[in-house]
Amino acid sequence: MLTEGELRTLTALHGEQTVSELATQLDRSLSYTSELVDRLEATGLVETRRQGKAKQVQPSDAKALELLADITQEYSHIEWSELLSGATLRVLYHLETPRVATELARRADVHRSTVHRALDPLQHRGIIYQTDDDAYALNEGFEQLSTLAQELAHHDHRQTVEQHTDTYTILWESLDEFLVQTADEITAEDFLSTGPERFQTYDLPLLARDRRYYFHSETMNDLSPAKLCCHMLVIDSGARTQSYCLLLLSHVDVDRDELCDQATKYGVDDLVEDLLTYLDTSGEERASRLPEWEEFQELAEDYGVSA
């Protein structure tokens, strides 16, 4: 997320101006302002060009900047660069719905005290409030702050994947991770192969199409079967994919607690519950898209899986 200096630069930048003019406006040195501009250019939030000896800088067309401009213009009396940097944006990312501090801390991966420290200044200015059950919520007129944080993360994810391919679709994303579909091979270490191709790791050679799927994470080195199952259901929740997930769950030892936690994270908890119920009852309790038990047994036999 953005630093206070970067946010201050973005809120001060109106149209195209030289880095020198921007430095004067920010009351900062030319070298420090140049460093800020370079960092923002690397994120794709500003664009620069040379005009003679001067370096011109202007905002990019990122949607996040439109949201930032709207809120800073509507509430120009608020010093947004002091309020929205760092951990505050991480927390606001998850405040699209009212949430208590414990839940916000878990989702933003910060300490609970950090949540209070980040949101207290916003509460003091009437930007957020606490409900009767102590959940934090955005006041009317400030709901776009959560959208702004999400758009900044989405923009960052796009910048990351566009270093490797021009044709892609982000299928799921959180603050720090995302799942992407592309026709191109990506070999960067932060991109983990997932989807049908990954099933070969578990001796389940599924037919991979011309599309590839990658999970981007800067902290994870491998995918568990639970994550792979959830990724498959995000990619495609159709009958065929659900049957493949049944094969995986029958073939490997999956930590069910982890599976349920991951299912909630990826928004596929209802589907995972149906899969587990189906296996636990040998198909007697079957959701509409799941095969008859005899059909699944035949499929499992074809793949050498004991159903």
Side-chain angles (χ1 to χ4, degrees):
M1 284 296 178
L2 299 172
T3 65
E4 181 178 340
E6 290 165 346
L7 271 168
R8 191 180 297 278
T9 301
L10 290 174
T11 55
L13 187 59
H14 302 292
E16 187 178 52
Q17 55 192 114
T18 67
V19 176
S20 179
E21 291 169 339
L22 185 58
T24 300
Q25 188 174 347
L26 294 171
D27 193 23
R28 292 292 186 268
S29 69
L30 180 59
S31 61
Y32 176 69
T33 304
S34 295
E35 181 182 336
L36 289 173
V37 168
D38 288 344
R39 294 207 305 255
L40 289 170
E41 185 176 22
T43 67
L45 291 173
V46 302
E47 299 171 349
T48 66
R49 67 182 182 88
R50 283 285 177 184
Q51 185 173 16
K53 295 183 178 181
K55 187 176 185 179
Q56 302 280 344
V57 56
Q58 65 179 5
S60 73
D61 61 357
K63 184 177 179 181
L65 294 187
E66 295 180 21
L67 293 170
L68 181 61
D70 288 344
I71 195 166
T72 53
Q73 290 170 16
E74 185 173 359
Y75 302 98
S76 58
H77 61 287
I78 296 176
E79 187 57 63
W80 291 105
S81 58
E82 294 180 0
L83 293 178
L84 296 183
S85 57
T88 305
L89 283 170
R90 292 187 67 87
V91 176
L92 285 172
Y93 180 98
H94 301 285
L95 207 57
E96 77 282 0
T97 188
R99 289 193 167 99
V100 297
T102 302
E103 176 69 5
L104 288 169
R106 184 185 68 80
R107 288 174 176 264
D109 194 24
V110 297
H111 195 275
R112 183 176 174 178
S113 63
T114 302
V115 173
H116 292 301
R117 189 164 55 250
L119 296 184
D120 281 352
L122 300 183
Q123 187 173 6
H124 178 71
R125 289 165 175 79
I127 296 170
I128 66 169
Y129 67 97
Q130 283 187 279
T131 64
D132 292 338
D133 57 357
D134 291 329
Y136 283 106
L138 286 161
N139 267 310
E140 184 177 355
F142 296 101
E143 298 90 344
Q144 66 266 45
L145 286 176
S146 183
T147 305
L148 169 62
Q150 292 169 6
E151 279 296 327
L152 284 169
H154 180 65
H155 177 80
D156 184 54
H157 296 162
R158 288 181 56 193
Q159 289 291 114
T160 299
V161 73
E162 284 173 6
Q163 296 177 32
H164 307 280
T165 178
D166 295 327
T167 306
Y168 65 92
T169 303
I170 294 178
L171 303 177
W172 173 90
E173 61 186 338
S174 67
L175 183 61
D176 300 311
E177 300 173 331
F178 61 88
L179 178 64
V180 63
Q181 169 190 297
T182 179
D184 300 320
E185 182 180 9
I186 300 178
T187 58
E189 62 179 13
D190 290 341
F191 286 83
L192 303 177
S193 176
T194 188
E197 186 175 348
R198 187 74 175 194
F199 270 59
Q200 298 179 33
T201 305
Y202 302 100
D203 298 321
L204 295 171
L206 304 187
L207 179 63
R209 302 178 181 176
D210 56 351
R211 285 168 289 185
R212 299 173 183 266
Y213 301 92
Y214 295 96
F215 178 67
H216 181 269
S217 173
E218 295 183 356
T219 59
M220 194 172 302
N221 297 319
D222 200 5
L223 294 180
S224 66
K227 279 188 176 288
L228 176 57
C229 178
C230 293
H231 289 176
M232 283 293 291
L233 294 172
V234 171
I235 291 167
D236 179 7
S237 61
R240 189 176 182 85
T241 297
Q242 292 194 44
S243 293
Y244 290 155
C245 288
L246 289 172
L247 287 175
L248 179 66
L249 297 178
S250 300
H251 187 52
V252 300
D253 184 18
V254 177
D255 185 321
R256 287 204 172 194
D257 289 337
E258 182 197 359
L259 178 59
C260 291
D261 287 344
Q262 293 298 321
T264 300
K265 172 180 176 179
Y266 289 99
V268 294
D269 40 331
D270 289 342
L271 293 173
V272 166
E273 183 178 354
D274 288 343
L275 296 178
L276 294 176
T277 300
Y278 176 87
L279 292 174
D280 289 342
T281 64
S282 298
E284 289 185 14
E285 293 187 35
R286 180 175 67 88
S288 60
R289 289 192 172 186
L290 296 179
E292 295 285 352
W293 184 249
E294 292 76 13
E295 294 177 16
F296 176 62
Q297 286 181 307
E298 292 177 5
L299 178 65
E301 184 177 351
D302 289 342
Y303 280 92
V305 173
S306 177

